[in-house]
Amino acid sequence: MEKEWYVVNTYSGHESKVKEKLEMRAESMDMQDYIFRVIVPEEKVIEVTKTGVEKERIKKIFPGYILVEMVMSDEAWYVVRNTPGVTGFIGSSGKGAKPTPLQPYEVDKILKDMGMSRIEVDKDLQPGTKVRLVSGPLSGMIGKVDSIDTANSIVNLTVDLFGQETSVEATLTDIEVLK
């Protein structure tokens, strides 16, 4: 099974508490191999007060929802579903049915707005890793990572273009790691 992103419904205003509890439960129940990342989608916004002073605050993008990167197994589903504050998964009909994961492009858009990437560079990506381009003119082509610029989220790849190895530059949101 493969790790994918799921949307979990929580009590509105309790997203951070649920994230904390879910991470603690995953660790205490030894589920780190099934539950990887828990994210509360939020963004920084600048508001102008009545006195004209600009204040920066963090606003929830989807109040009442968190994103969980996990392998959907019965045990992992049970741990997430029974975490205090969780009301269910989005994309599930209920009655114990497994939910539908988010599409990679949906996750990429949400994480990009937060300044993050679906790919964890430290764990998933090293020089020599095979990846598939998922957007742009070379979409669908498979290449090998040459170098990674983590500061700018750019990856240099080598792809086979008309029988000749060609160097291509892509962002982390333009690729998916092949297993």
Side-chain angles (χ1 to χ4, degrees):
M1 295 185 112
E2 179 176 323
K3 62 182 178 179
E4 296 181 289
W5 287 90
Y6 296 89
V7 180
V8 176
N9 195 352
T10 67
Y11 295 129
S12 190
H14 294 181
E15 300 88 354
S16 297
K17 290 178 189 172
V18 172
K19 173 187 188 296
E20 192 177 305
K21 287 177 185 172
L22 182 53
E23 288 171 340
M24 286 176 23
R25 281 176 56 98
E27 189 174 325
S28 68
M29 299 175 95
D30 200 29
M31 295 296 290
Q32 296 97 326
D33 293 339
Y34 294 93
I35 300 171
F36 301 98
R37 290 193 279 176
V38 181
I39 294 175
V40 178
E42 31 188 40
E43 63 185 350
K44 288 182 183 174
V45 292
I46 296 176
E47 294 180 338
V48 181
T49 62
K50 292 179 185 177
T51 59
V53 178
E54 289 186 355
K55 278 192 169 182
E56 187 178 283
R57 74 175 190 93
I58 295 177
K59 177 185 170 200
K60 305 261 186 301
I61 298 173
F62 306 114
Y65 299 97
I66 60 174
L67 301 178
V68 180
E69 182 183 31
M70 62 187 283
V71 174
M72 186 52 71
S73 67
D74 289 339
E75 297 83 13
W77 176 84
Y78 182 84
V79 169
V80 174
R81 181 67 186 89
N82 291 298
T83 298
V86 170
T87 58
F89 279 91
I90 300 301
S92 171
S93 62
K95 304 180 186 96
K98 297 294 188 288
T100 306
L102 286 173
Q103 295 295 318
Y105 71 89
E106 295 171 315
V107 177
D108 287 340
K109 178 166 179 2
I110 294 167
L111 294 181
K112 189 175 185 181
D113 290 346
M114 294 175 58
M116 300 172 72
S117 172
R118 180 171 39 95
I119 298 171
E120 290 183 276
V121 176
D122 313 354
K123 295 179 183 176
D124 299 333
L125 216 53
Q126 294 96 24
T129 305
K130 283 191 172 187
V131 296
R132 175 182 292 121
L133 289 160
V134 294
S135 63
L138 300 176
S139 180
M141 296 196 78
I142 295 175
K144 209 183 285 187
V145 175
D146 286 334
S147 64
I148 306 162
D149 179 2
T150 52
N152 297 315
S153 300
I154 293 176
V155 180
N156 287 312
L157 311 169
T158 303
V159 297
D160 184 8
L161 194 60
F162 305 116
Q164 188 172 354
E165 285 193 352
T166 306
S167 183
V168 175
E169 196 174 84
T171 64
L172 290 176
T173 58
D174 293 336
I175 62 171
E176 71 178 1
V177 177
L178 298 175
K179 300 294 179 198

